Amino acid sequence: AQSVTQPDIHITVSEGASLELRCNYSYGATPYLFWYVQSPGQGLQLLLKYFSGDTLVQGIKGFEAEFKRSQSSFNLRKPSVHWSDAAEYFCAVAVSTDSWGKFQFGAGTQVVVTP
Amino acid sequence: NAGVTQTPKFRVLKTGQSMTLLCAQDMNHEYMYWYRQDPGMGLRLIHYSVGEGTTAKGEVPDGYNVSRLKKQNFLLGLESAAPSQTSVYFCASLTSLETQYFGPGTRLLVL
């Protein structure tokens, strides 16, 4: 079955430390990949996306993600976390441009930033 | 440019009552979506629309109906609310860059 998995439900990181959030997908073809962030009480905001080309993509707020076809992964990273990065992060996929109605989201990873 | 707006922001219903959630976008987007968000389950697609007058079922459509009579509006209806429909509902529209733009959400409590 097609799926998007975020293995970590909750991550605690110290301010200034690096952060990596994992995302794995299970689809027959390479999907279109997205990372969104949700601050408390807010809607989702796009951080970055991957459609094709360079497998390392840069996003907003200093985030980057790397697509690894061999591992079916699209992990999100940030070298130095700020207190404002505390939020919930969602990985999402769309199977093809012919099915933009078929977005599927992971369960999310809650990030807590400690002083 | 207000983006995607949702009405109401919060609502309490009794079991069996009906209500309609309104999503409006002023960006002339063709695609619109309704999701529900529940703890530990991420966002699940309820219904979506690829254009005015068209709708399609998503992952969890049961108990909900939708209409897209005008391009800018996407309505989500609950005909007979159940406690299992307590959730946060998000509307989204699709930009020309194939990216979803989300509204602020509607928090619904069904007693």
Side-chain angles (χ1 to χ4, degrees), chain B residues 5-36:
Chain B
T5 59
Q6 294 184 230
T7 308
K9 290 183 171 53
F10 178 71
R11 183 77 182 269
V12 179
L13 288 179
K14 295 181 179 179
T15 297
Q17 288 185 317
S18 63
M19 77 164 294
T20 300
L21 283 68
L22 171 64
C23 176
Q25 54 97 1
D26 60 1
M27 298 172 283
N28 202 36
H29 293 164
E30 292 291 341
Y31 286 69
M32 296 186 74
Y33 308 80
W34 274 109
Y35 293 92
R36 61 177 290 171

mmCIF file of all heavy atoms in Angstrom, chain B residues 5-36:
data_model
loop_
_atom_site.group_PDB
_atom_site.id
_atom_site.type_symbol
_atom_site.label_atom_id
_atom_site.label_comp_id
_atom_site.label_asym_id
_atom_site.label_seq_id
_atom_site.Cartn_x
_atom_site.Cartn_y
_atom_site.Cartn_z
ATOM 1 N N THR B 5 -9.348 31.669 3.419
ATOM 2 C CA THR B 5 -10.019 31.953 4.683
ATOM 3 C C THR B 5 -11.035 30.860 4.979
ATOM 4 O O THR B 5 -11.584 30.230 4.071
ATOM 5 C CB THR B 5 -10.737 33.313 4.648
ATOM 6 O OG1 THR B 5 -11.694 33.312 3.586
ATOM 7 C CG2 THR B 5 -9.742 34.443 4.424
ATOM 8 N N GLN B 6 -11.278 30.632 6.265
ATOM 9 C CA GLN B 6 -12.225 29.616 6.692
ATOM 10 C C GLN B 6 -13.194 30.210 7.704
ATOM 11 O O GLN B 6 -12.790 30.967 8.589
ATOM 12 C CB GLN B 6 -11.497 28.430 7.320
ATOM 13 C CG GLN B 6 -10.635 27.649 6.351
ATOM 14 C CD GLN B 6 -10.009 26.439 7.001
ATOM 15 O OE1 GLN B 6 -8.802 26.218 6.905
ATOM 16 N NE2 GLN B 6 -10.812 25.616 7.642
ATOM 17 N N THR B 7 -14.446 29.816 7.561
ATOM 18 C CA THR B 7 -15.494 30.278 8.471
ATOM 19 C C THR B 7 -16.337 29.100 8.903
ATOM 20 O O THR B 7 -16.752 28.295 8.052
ATOM 21 C CB THR B 7 -16.401 31.304 7.761
ATOM 22 O OG1 THR B 7 -15.592 32.334 7.182
ATOM 23 C CG2 THR B 7 -17.349 31.933 8.743
ATOM 24 N N PRO B 8 -16.648 28.900 10.191
ATOM 25 C CA PRO B 8 -16.170 29.687 11.334
ATOM 26 C C PRO B 8 -14.791 29.221 11.797
ATOM 27 O O PRO B 8 -14.237 28.280 11.245
ATOM 28 C CB PRO B 8 -17.226 29.373 12.398
ATOM 29 C CG PRO B 8 -17.594 27.950 12.106
ATOM 30 C CD PRO B 8 -17.555 27.818 10.601
ATOM 31 N N LYS B 9 -14.252 29.848 12.796
ATOM 32 C CA LYS B 9 -12.979 29.423 13.381
ATOM 33 C C LYS B 9 -13.181 28.335 14.406
ATOM 34 O O LYS B 9 -12.310 27.474 14.614
ATOM 35 C CB LYS B 9 -12.273 30.611 14.038
ATOM 36 C CG LYS B 9 -11.738 31.641 13.059
ATOM 37 C CD LYS B 9 -10.997 32.740 13.787
ATOM 38 C CE LYS B 9 -10.269 33.649 12.808
ATOM 39 N NZ LYS B 9 -11.143 34.188 11.757
ATOM 40 N N PHE B 10 -14.316 28.344 15.066
ATOM 41 C CA PHE B 10 -14.604 27.366 16.123
ATOM 42 C C PHE B 10 -16.101 27.168 16.199
ATOM 43 O O PHE B 10 -16.868 28.107 16.041
ATOM 44 C CB PHE B 10 -14.062 27.870 17.466
ATOM 45 C CG PHE B 10 -14.362 26.955 18.620
ATOM 46 C CD1 PHE B 10 -13.709 25.740 18.732
ATOM 47 C CD2 PHE B 10 -15.296 27.301 19.581
ATOM 48 C CE1 PHE B 10 -13.991 24.880 19.791
ATOM 49 C CE2 PHE B 10 -15.582 26.454 20.640
ATOM 50 C CZ PHE B 10 -14.925 25.243 20.747
ATOM 51 N N ARG B 11 -16.497 25.913 16.436
ATOM 52 C CA ARG B 11 -17.925 25.620 16.538
ATOM 53 C C ARG B 11 -18.129 24.420 17.441
ATOM 54 O O ARG B 11 -17.346 23.462 17.400
ATOM 55 C CB ARG B 11 -18.490 25.335 15.162
ATOM 56 C CG ARG B 11 -19.991 25.090 15.114
ATOM 57 C CD ARG B 11 -20.787 26.377 15.224
ATOM 58 N NE ARG B 11 -22.223 26.096 15.232
ATOM 59 C CZ ARG B 11 -22.982 26.052 14.145
ATOM 60 N NH1 ARG B 11 -22.440 26.267 12.944
ATOM 61 N NH2 ARG B 11 -24.266 25.802 14.245
ATOM 62 N N VAL B 12 -19.189 24.476 18.238
ATOM 63 C CA VAL B 12 -19.596 23.337 19.052
ATOM 64 C C VAL B 12 -20.955 22.874 18.545
ATOM 65 O O VAL B 12 -21.880 23.684 18.409
ATOM 66 C CB VAL B 12 -19.688 23.706 20.548
ATOM 67 C CG1 VAL B 12 -20.148 22.504 21.352
ATOM 68 C CG2 VAL B 12 -18.333 24.195 21.057
ATOM 69 N N LEU B 13 -21.070 21.599 18.276
ATOM 70 C CA LEU B 13 -22.317 21.013 17.804
ATOM 71 C C LEU B 13 -22.775 19.916 18.738
ATOM 72 O O LEU B 13 -21.943 19.281 19.408
ATOM 73 C CB LEU B 13 -22.146 20.401 16.411
ATOM 74 C CG LEU B 13 -21.985 21.292 15.201
ATOM 75 C CD1 LEU B 13 -21.812 20.427 13.948
ATOM 76 C CD2 LEU B 13 -23.174 22.225 15.037
ATOM 77 N N LYS B 14 -24.053 19.650 18.732
ATOM 78 C CA LYS B 14 -24.578 18.476 19.402
ATOM 79 C C LYS B 14 -24.722 17.364 18.376
ATOM 80 O O LYS B 14 -24.919 17.626 17.178
ATOM 81 C CB LYS B 14 -25.921 18.779 20.043
ATOM 82 C CG LYS B 14 -25.853 19.809 21.173
ATOM 83 C CD LYS B 14 -27.231 20.038 21.773
ATOM 84 C CE LYS B 14 -27.144 21.054 22.907
ATOM 85 N NZ LYS B 14 -28.482 21.322 23.512
ATOM 86 N N THR B 15 -24.611 16.148 18.831
ATOM 87 C CA THR B 15 -24.769 15.003 17.944
ATOM 88 C C THR B 15 -26.077 15.112 17.169
ATOM 89 O O THR B 15 -27.126 15.374 17.753
ATOM 90 C CB THR B 15 -24.739 13.699 18.744
ATOM 91 O OG1 THR B 15 -23.442 13.568 19.361
ATOM 92 C CG2 THR B 15 -24.977 12.504 17.860
ATOM 93 N N GLY B 16 -25.994 14.896 15.848
ATOM 94 C CA GLY B 16 -27.171 14.958 15.007
ATOM 95 C C GLY B 16 -27.412 16.302 14.346
ATOM 96 O O GLY B 16 -28.180 16.383 13.376
ATOM 97 N N GLN B 17 -26.776 17.349 14.841
ATOM 98 C CA GLN B 17 -26.938 18.651 14.216
ATOM 99 C C GLN B 17 -26.160 18.715 12.906
ATOM 100 O O GLN B 17 -25.258 17.924 12.659
ATOM 101 C CB GLN B 17 -26.463 19.769 15.148
ATOM 102 C CG GLN B 17 -27.371 20.019 16.326
ATOM 103 C CD GLN B 17 -26.931 21.212 17.167
ATOM 104 O OE1 GLN B 17 -25.751 21.393 17.456
ATOM 105 N NE2 GLN B 17 -27.907 22.036 17.556
ATOM 106 N N SER B 18 -26.547 19.665 12.085
ATOM 107 C CA SER B 18 -25.860 19.853 10.810
ATOM 108 C C SER B 18 -25.161 21.205 10.789
ATOM 109 O O SER B 18 -25.520 22.115 11.552
ATOM 110 C CB SER B 18 -26.844 19.783 9.648
ATOM 111 O OG SER B 18 -27.779 20.838 9.739
ATOM 112 N N MET B 19 -24.161 21.309 9.935
ATOM 113 C CA MET B 19 -23.498 22.586 9.752
ATOM 114 C C MET B 19 -22.713 22.586 8.457
ATOM 115 O O MET B 19 -22.459 21.518 7.876
ATOM 116 C CB MET B 19 -22.569 22.923 10.909
ATOM 117 C CG MET B 19 -21.240 22.202 10.913
ATOM 118 S SD MET B 19 -20.034 22.976 12.022
ATOM 119 C CE MET B 19 -19.775 24.554 11.221
ATOM 120 N N THR B 20 -22.346 23.770 8.030
ATOM 121 C CA THR B 20 -21.539 23.934 6.827
ATOM 122 C C THR B 20 -20.319 24.769 7.145
ATOM 123 O O THR B 20 -20.425 25.833 7.775
ATOM 124 C CB THR B 20 -22.343 24.616 5.707
ATOM 125 O OG1 THR B 20 -23.477 23.816 5.383
ATOM 126 C CG2 THR B 20 -21.485 24.797 4.466
ATOM 127 N N LEU B 21 -19.176 24.283 6.725
ATOM 128 C CA LEU B 21 -17.927 25.028 6.837
ATOM 129 C C LEU B 21 -17.632 25.662 5.479
ATOM 130 O O LEU B 21 -17.733 25.005 4.434
ATOM 131 C CB LEU B 21 -16.768 24.121 7.222
ATOM 132 C CG LEU B 21 -16.647 23.666 8.668
ATOM 133 C CD1 LEU B 21 -17.788 22.716 9.036
ATOM 134 C CD2 LEU B 21 -15.303 22.982 8.892
ATOM 135 N N LEU B 22 -17.253 26.931 5.531
ATOM 136 C CA LEU B 22 -16.980 27.659 4.297
ATOM 137 C C LEU B 22 -15.492 27.899 4.128
ATOM 138 O O LEU B 22 -14.814 28.323 5.066
ATOM 139 C CB LEU B 22 -17.710 29.001 4.297
ATOM 140 C CG LEU B 22 -17.336 29.967 3.159
ATOM 141 C CD1 LEU B 22 -17.722 29.382 1.808
ATOM 142 C CD2 LEU B 22 -17.984 31.321 3.385
ATOM 143 N N CYS B 23 -15.002 27.619 2.953
ATOM 144 C CA CYS B 23 -13.631 27.947 2.572
ATOM 145 C C CYS B 23 -13.684 28.883 1.373
ATOM 146 O O CYS B 23 -14.401 28.607 0.404
ATOM 147 C CB CYS B 23 -12.859 26.688 2.218
ATOM 148 S SG CYS B 23 -11.182 27.003 1.611
ATOM 149 N N ALA B 24 -12.942 29.958 1.452
ATOM 150 C CA ALA B 24 -12.905 30.918 0.348
ATOM 151 C C ALA B 24 -11.458 31.257 0.018
ATOM 152 O O ALA B 24 -10.635 31.415 0.908
ATOM 153 C CB ALA B 24 -13.667 32.181 0.724
ATOM 154 N N GLN B 25 -11.182 31.356 -1.292
ATOM 155 C CA GLN B 25 -9.843 31.758 -1.729
ATOM 156 C C GLN B 25 -9.976 32.806 -2.835
ATOM 157 O O GLN B 25 -10.876 32.719 -3.680
ATOM 158 C CB GLN B 25 -9.029 30.539 -2.202
ATOM 159 C CG GLN B 25 -9.687 29.676 -3.264
ATOM 160 C CD GLN B 25 -9.260 29.962 -4.682
ATOM 161 O OE1 GLN B 25 -8.417 30.828 -4.945
ATOM 162 N NE2 GLN B 25 -9.831 29.224 -5.628
ATOM 163 N N ASP B 26 -9.083 33.759 -2.788
ATOM 164 C CA ASP B 26 -9.140 34.862 -3.734
ATOM 165 C C ASP B 26 -7.957 34.846 -4.698
ATOM 166 O O ASP B 26 -7.560 35.871 -5.235
ATOM 167 C CB ASP B 26 -9.217 36.204 -2.996
ATOM 168 C CG ASP B 26 -8.024 36.450 -2.082
ATOM 169 O OD1 ASP B 26 -7.110 35.591 -2.022
ATOM 170 O OD2 ASP B 26 -8.003 37.503 -1.415
ATOM 171 N N MET B 27 -7.396 33.659 -4.907
ATOM 172 C CA MET B 27 -6.202 33.536 -5.744
ATOM 173 C C MET B 27 -6.497 32.891 -7.093
ATOM 174 O O MET B 27 -5.580 32.550 -7.841
ATOM 175 C CB MET B 27 -5.147 32.727 -4.980
ATOM 176 C CG MET B 27 -4.703 33.415 -3.696
ATOM 177 S SD MET B 27 -3.650 32.399 -2.655
ATOM 178 C CE MET B 27 -4.852 31.309 -1.905
ATOM 179 N N ASN B 28 -7.766 32.663 -7.382
ATOM 180 C CA ASN B 28 -8.192 32.085 -8.653
ATOM 181 C C ASN B 28 -7.649 30.670 -8.872
ATOM 182 O O ASN B 28 -7.400 30.250 -10.011
ATOM 183 C CB ASN B 28 -7.785 32.984 -9.830
ATOM 184 C CG ASN B 28 -8.644 32.734 -11.061
ATOM 185 O OD1 ASN B 28 -9.836 32.465 -10.960
ATOM 186 N ND2 ASN B 28 -8.026 32.805 -12.225
ATOM 187 N N HIS B 29 -7.475 29.920 -7.781
ATOM 188 C CA HIS B 29 -6.960 28.555 -7.897
ATOM 189 C C HIS B 29 -8.048 27.599 -8.340
ATOM 190 O O HIS B 29 -9.199 27.695 -7.909
ATOM 191 C CB HIS B 29 -6.389 28.092 -6.553
ATOM 192 C CG HIS B 29 -5.163 28.838 -6.147
ATOM 193 N ND1 HIS B 29 -4.684 28.823 -4.857
ATOM 194 C CD2 HIS B 29 -4.304 29.605 -6.860
ATOM 195 C CE1 HIS B 29 -3.583 29.563 -4.788
ATOM 196 N NE2 HIS B 29 -3.340 30.050 -5.989
ATOM 197 N N GLU B 30 -7.661 26.639 -9.163
ATOM 198 C CA GLU B 30 -8.613 25.644 -9.632
ATOM 199 C C GLU B 30 -8.883 24.566 -8.578
ATOM 200 O O GLU B 30 -10.004 24.162 -8.364
ATOM 201 C CB GLU B 30 -8.101 24.990 -10.913
ATOM 202 C CG GLU B 30 -8.053 25.923 -12.115
ATOM 203 C CD GLU B 30 -9.430 26.330 -12.610
ATOM 204 O OE1 GLU B 30 -10.417 25.640 -12.292
ATOM 205 O OE2 GLU B 30 -9.533 27.368 -13.294
ATOM 206 N N TYR B 31 -7.820 24.063 -7.983
ATOM 207 C CA TYR B 31 -7.930 22.946 -7.057
ATOM 208 C C TYR B 31 -8.161 23.442 -5.631
ATOM 209 O O TYR B 31 -7.490 24.369 -5.171
ATOM 210 C CB TYR B 31 -6.654 22.111 -7.063
ATOM 211 C CG TYR B 31 -6.450 21.247 -8.276
ATOM 212 C CD1 TYR B 31 -6.187 21.797 -9.521
ATOM 213 C CD2 TYR B 31 -6.491 19.852 -8.171
ATOM 214 C CE1 TYR B 31 -5.987 21.000 -10.624
ATOM 215 C CE2 TYR B 31 -6.287 19.042 -9.268
ATOM 216 C CZ TYR B 31 -6.036 19.623 -10.494
ATOM 217 O OH TYR B 31 -5.830 18.823 -11.588
ATOM 218 N N MET B 32 -9.103 22.787 -4.946
ATOM 219 C CA MET B 32 -9.328 23.068 -3.531
ATOM 220 C C MET B 32 -9.539 21.760 -2.787
ATOM 221 O O MET B 32 -9.989 20.763 -3.376
ATOM 222 C CB MET B 32 -10.525 24.017 -3.342
ATOM 223 C CG MET B 32 -10.307 25.405 -3.941
ATOM 224 S SD MET B 32 -11.631 26.573 -3.584
ATOM 225 C CE MET B 32 -11.316 26.931 -1.853
ATOM 226 N N TYR B 33 -9.232 21.782 -1.489
ATOM 227 C CA TYR B 33 -9.203 20.558 -0.695
ATOM 228 C C TYR B 33 -9.815 20.808 0.681
ATOM 229 O O TYR B 33 -9.689 21.903 1.229
ATOM 230 C CB TYR B 33 -7.752 20.092 -0.482
ATOM 231 C CG TYR B 33 -6.944 19.970 -1.733
ATOM 232 C CD1 TYR B 33 -6.375 21.089 -2.335
ATOM 233 C CD2 TYR B 33 -6.730 18.734 -2.326
ATOM 234 C CE1 TYR B 33 -5.626 20.980 -3.492
ATOM 235 C CE2 TYR B 33 -5.974 18.614 -3.482
ATOM 236 C CZ TYR B 33 -5.432 19.741 -4.064
ATOM 237 O OH TYR B 33 -4.693 19.626 -5.211
ATOM 238 N N TRP B 34 -10.374 19.749 1.246
ATOM 239 C CA TRP B 34 -10.754 19.733 2.654
ATOM 240 C C TRP B 34 -10.048 18.570 3.333
ATOM 241 O O TRP B 34 -10.108 17.426 2.857
ATOM 242 C CB TRP B 34 -12.260 19.562 2.837
ATOM 243 C CG TRP B 34 -13.026 20.844 2.789
ATOM 244 C CD1 TRP B 34 -13.857 21.272 1.805
ATOM 245 C CD2 TRP B 34 -13.042 21.869 3.789
ATOM 246 N NE1 TRP B 34 -14.389 22.502 2.117
ATOM 247 C CE2 TRP B 34 -13.899 22.886 3.337
ATOM 248 C CE3 TRP B 34 -12.417 22.029 5.033
ATOM 249 C CZ2 TRP B 34 -14.152 24.042 4.068
ATOM 250 C CZ3 TRP B 34 -12.662 23.177 5.746
ATOM 251 C CH2 TRP B 34 -13.526 24.171 5.274
ATOM 252 N N TYR B 35 -9.359 18.891 4.454
ATOM 253 C CA TYR B 35 -8.681 17.888 5.262
ATOM 254 C C TYR B 35 -9.226 17.944 6.685
ATOM 255 O O TYR B 35 -9.703 18.967 7.149
ATOM 256 C CB TYR B 35 -7.172 18.178 5.353
ATOM 257 C CG TYR B 35 -6.396 18.037 4.083
ATOM 258 C CD1 TYR B 35 -6.205 19.135 3.242
ATOM 259 C CD2 TYR B 35 -5.826 16.821 3.723
ATOM 260 C CE1 TYR B 35 -5.466 19.012 2.087
ATOM 261 C CE2 TYR B 35 -5.085 16.698 2.564
ATOM 262 C CZ TYR B 35 -4.910 17.798 1.746
ATOM 263 O OH TYR B 35 -4.181 17.677 0.598
ATOM 264 N N ARG B 36 -9.055 16.844 7.392
ATOM 265 C CA ARG B 36 -9.222 16.854 8.824
ATOM 266 C C ARG B 36 -7.906 16.459 9.477
ATOM 267 O O ARG B 36 -7.160 15.629 8.930
ATOM 268 C CB ARG B 36 -10.365 15.948 9.277
ATOM 269 C CG ARG B 36 -10.244 14.494 8.949
ATOM 270 C CD ARG B 36 -11.423 13.704 9.531
ATOM 271 N NE ARG B 36 -11.350 13.625 10.987
ATOM 272 C CZ ARG B 36 -12.324 13.143 11.755
ATOM 273 N NH1 ARG B 36 -13.431 12.677 11.224
ATOM 274 N NH2 ARG B 36 -12.181 13.094 13.067
#
